[in-house]
Amino acid sequence: MSDKSISDDAAASVQAIRPIALMVASSGLLTINDAIIKWLAQTYPVGQVMSLRGALVIVILVTWAIARRHTSALRVYNWRLQLTRGGLMSLSTFLFVTALTLMPLADAIAITFAGPILATALAALLLREPVGWRRWSAVAIGFTGVVLMMRPTPELIRLAAIVPLLAALMGAFRDIVTRKMGTGGESTLAILLISTSVVTLVGLLTVPFGWAPVGPLNLALFAGSALLVGFAQGLMIESFRLGEVGLVAPFKYASLVWAVVLGLLVWRDLPGPWTWTGATLVV
């Protein structure tokens, strides 16, 4: 191998570190946020959780843009993709928050590990990203792990496990759209603002079904969740802007460690043997 080839490989490795680091950081923050949301979803309807958190994220984003004089970054170039991502994010958020009310935190997050697997496959089909036999083999093994985490029974699968799996599918499509937008000139701030606005509006549609009053402590938790999810989503968007989906998406798996620790500390939940076995295959 020539010195130039070695130098090129080293440069590529260095360039890959930043998007990977951004995804790992994003996964950690989102897992802490998921723990807060699981706590809030025990008291408030899913739509209310989506809408209140989204509204606070919007306030934070707009305030930051005005304070930093970055309002030009809010300009939208492709409304079709922006609204498509917002719709997919709304579906994935609704399904995932619902999943958190149905099962332990670590189990719900473990099943959504199907997302990076699905995103890798979709990136090859829709974005024409190169996915060799190694990645396709990993997709097959990962899918086996997801089936195990869904805990096969005489009824084939746990019905509750379908909810986070559908959330993972919607999230995979969202990641594909994010990658396409990030390489197409849309700013991270604009992507985050429009998607969050759509999620907030969808949540507002659930007002007729009844919302619960919010006390000061829970309002503080909503605000903390908004800060975490806003920052984490920004990091994730940047990660997909800088790195291929097949490269950075699997690093979402770092969230399992956080999920196990938080589930144990807050709810005394530990994943069962099916989840541990499946998660090991997926990771």
Side-chain angles (χ1 to χ4, degrees), residues 108 111-112 114-115 118 143 146 150 160-170:
I111 293 174
T112 60
L118 297 169
F143 180 76
V146 172
M150 293 181 70
I162 295 177
V163 180
L165 186 61
L166 288 174
L169 178 60
M170 295 300 102

Side-chain angles (χ1 to χ4, degrees), residues 259-280:
V260 170
V261 172
L262 289 170
L264 179 61
L265 292 177
V266 181
W267 291 279
R268 298 295 187 267
D269 290 331
L270 271 177
W274 283 108
T275 301
W276 279 120
T277 303
T280 299

Side-chain angles (χ1 to χ4, degrees), residues 27-28 31 105-111 113 149 251-263 271 275-276 278-280 282-283:
S27 297
T31 306
L105 176 67
D107 282 22
I109 290 179
I111 293 174
F113 280 178
M149 286 187 288
F251 284 89
K252 290 181 178 181
Y253 298 148
S255 60
L256 180 60
V257 176
W258 288 95
V260 170
V261 172
L262 289 170
T275 301
W276 279 120
T280 299
V282 170
V283 174

